[in-house]
Amino acid sequence: MKTLIHHTAAIHPGAELHPTVEVGPYAVIGREVKVGPETTIGAHVVLEGPTEIGARNQIFPGAAIGLEPQDLKYDGGSSMVKIGDGNRIREYVTINRATRTGEATIIGNNNLLMAYAHVGHNCIIQDSVTIANGVALAGHIHIESRATISGVLGVHQFVHIGKLAMVGGMSRIARDVPPYMLIEGNPARVRSLNIVGIRRAGIAQAEQGQVYRSLKKAFRILYRSDLTLSQALEQLELIADNEHVQHLLQFLRMSQVKPRRGSIPGRQLPNSDEEIC
């Protein structure tokens, strides 16, 4: 019978591993770690707890999950990391626990975190998110499903990134990224709709393309008119006839509520310092 746990792995007797879990050489797994079926843990991975990891995850060599948060407010409390099913966590990814007792850093299902990505304390990553190499997420960041974050960039604490958004590589993300948009630059700006992501999600074909046309109209109102944010949101209410435009509208409204940091703009009004959206 195949041995699933390498003889050099250091696994605390209190750790709970499903019998189908594979553990590579020199991995270290702490007492308060729980790992679900068919998950593979590569060489030199460090898992500390409290950490819960679901089924069919692939954790590649050198990843460190569940260690204390890099937060000066941390007082040693029992916080957590919770990871769902079907995630691929590549080499040397770090995922920190939350700051306060009872809180959690949460990773959903079917996400890809590429090598050297960092997920800070209290982050929430939903489902089918792609985070490329060298991305650094500060604390309390929320990334909605099917967003794509390109490589070598930093995201400021408390920022939200909307569903099906695309963030260009080496951008500086200090404010919320609206759903369905393509963001790029330093300072970052909304450049266009994330057309490729929208098509792959099947939205472009929904209701004979009517939903896609509504999103294009919303983009023009927000980023190609001379309206301020408050004026643009009023116009958006008039065309919010489907769940996607409604989600965009609600996201932009919530971006203005503290501790959120406002949304990334498109451009500035002519001859003015005031930003559009």
Side-chain angles (χ1 to χ4, degrees), residues 115-186:
Y116 294 97
H118 170 70
V119 180
H121 61 87
N122 296 87
C123 285
I124 298 174
I125 298 174
Q126 292 183 346
D127 303 328
S128 303
V129 171
T130 298
I131 299 177
N133 304 78
V135 170
L137 304 180
H140 298 276
I141 289 168
H142 188 138
I143 303 179
E144 296 179 352
S145 296
R146 303 193 72 165
T148 300
I149 318 298
S150 300
V152 197
L153 60 81
V155 184
H156 197 284
Q157 62 184 0
F158 294 104
V159 160
H160 285 222
I161 297 176
K163 65 186 290 188
L164 282 167
M166 170 76 181
V167 180
M170 295 185 284
S171 297
R172 177 175 175 266
I173 307 302
R175 295 162 70 174
D176 287 358
V177 175
Y180 313 105
M181 301 300 167
L182 191 154
I183 310 296
E184 184 273 335
N186 185 0

Side-chain angles (χ1 to χ4, degrees), residues 239-251 253:
I239 65 165
D241 57 355
N242 62 76
E243 62 177 305
H244 301 289
V245 178
Q246 290 167 4
H247 179 67
L248 174 60
L249 176 60
Q250 181 67 10
F251 183 98
R253 283 174 171 163

Side-chain angles (χ1 to χ4, degrees), residues 233-274:
L233 293 182
E234 290 176 1
Q235 293 296 312
L236 223 57
E237 289 180 359
L238 302 177
I239 65 165
D241 57 355
N242 62 76
E243 62 177 305
H244 301 289
V245 178
Q246 290 167 4
H247 179 67
L248 174 60
L249 176 60
Q250 181 67 10
F251 183 98
L252 292 171
R253 283 174 171 163
M254 294 304 298
S255 289
Q256 313 309 309
V257 179
K258 292 183 178 180
R260 302 273 288 270
R261 299 176 53 80
S263 61
I264 288 175
R267 56 193 176 91
Q268 291 184 332
L269 288 169
N271 304 316
S272 172
D273 292 331
E274 188 173 7

Side-chain angles (χ1 to χ4, degrees), residues 37-56:
E38 301 180 47
T39 288
T40 59
I41 299 169
H44 297 278
V45 167
V46 176
L47 304 178
E48 293 291 344
T51 292
E52 296 179 1
I53 299 172
R56 300 178 305 282

Side-chain angles (χ1 to χ4, degrees), residues 6-266:
H6 195 274
H7 70 275
T8 61
I11 302 174
H12 193 284
E16 299 180 23
L17 275 61
H18 190 274
T20 59
V21 170
E22 297 185 31
V23 182
Y26 302 102
V28 178
I29 301 177
R31 177 172 60 89
E32 297 180 277
V33 174
K34 299 179 181 180
V35 184
E38 301 180 47
T39 288
T40 59
I41 299 169
H44 297 278
V45 167
V46 176
L47 304 178
E48 293 291 344
T51 292
E52 296 179 1
I53 299 172
R56 300 178 305 282
N57 294 286
Q58 294 176 279
I59 304 175
F60 285 74
I65 299 172
L67 278 72
E68 293 183 359
Q70 299 175 88
D71 188 344
L72 294 174
K73 299 186 296 299
Y74 180 64
D75 60 4
S78 181
S79 57
M80 297 188 65
V81 168
K82 294 183 178 181
I83 297 175
D85 303 331
N87 297 286
R88 286 178 290 166
I89 301 172
R90 296 302 306 245
E91 296 83 356
Y92 301 101
V93 167
T94 54
I95 303 173
N96 290 166
R97 297 204 314 268
T99 294
R100 295 185 174 87
T101 299
E103 297 178 341
T105 300
I106 299 173
I107 312 290
N109 305 315
N110 303 313
N111 298 293
L112 170 59
L113 279 63
M114 297 186 192
Y116 294 97
H118 170 70
V119 180
H121 61 87
N122 296 87
C123 285
I124 298 174
I125 298 174
Q126 292 183 346
D127 303 328
S128 303
V129 171
T130 298
I131 299 177
N133 304 78
V135 170
L137 304 180
H140 298 276
I141 289 168
H142 188 138
I143 303 179
E144 296 179 352
S145 296
R146 303 193 72 165
T148 300
I149 318 298
S150 300
V152 197
L153 60 81
V155 184
H156 197 284
Q157 62 184 0
F158 294 104
V159 160
H160 285 222
I161 297 176
K163 65 186 290 188
L164 282 167
M166 170 76 181
V167 180
M170 295 185 284
S171 297
R172 177 175 175 266
I173 307 302
R175 295 162 70 174
D176 287 358
V177 175
Y180 313 105
M181 301 300 167
L182 191 154
I183 310 296
E184 184 273 335
N186 185 0
R189 291 290 183 265
V190 176
R191 306 299 180 181
S192 68
L193 278 175
N194 179 19
I195 297 172
V196 172
I198 290 170
R199 286 176 176 166
R200 288 176 177 172
I203 295 173
Q205 293 77 37
E207 299 178 28
Q208 291 76 48
Q210 181 179 348
V211 174
Y212 183 45
R213 287 192 292 272
S214 295
L215 283 172
K216 288 200 296 183
K217 188 172 183 179
F219 173 81
R220 289 194 296 269
I221 291 170
L222 289 164
Y223 305 112
R224 292 296 180 265
S225 69
D226 290 338
L227 300 175
T228 64
L229 176 58
S230 59
Q231 293 169 337
L233 293 182
E234 290 176 1
Q235 293 296 312
L236 223 57
E237 289 180 359
L238 302 177
I239 65 165
D241 57 355
N242 62 76
E243 62 177 305
H244 301 289
V245 178
Q246 290 167 4
H247 179 67
L248 174 60
L249 176 60
Q250 181 67 10
F251 183 98
L252 292 171
R253 283 174 171 163
M254 294 304 298
S255 289
Q256 313 309 309
V257 179
K258 292 183 178 180
R260 302 273 288 270
R261 299 176 53 80
S263 61
I264 288 175

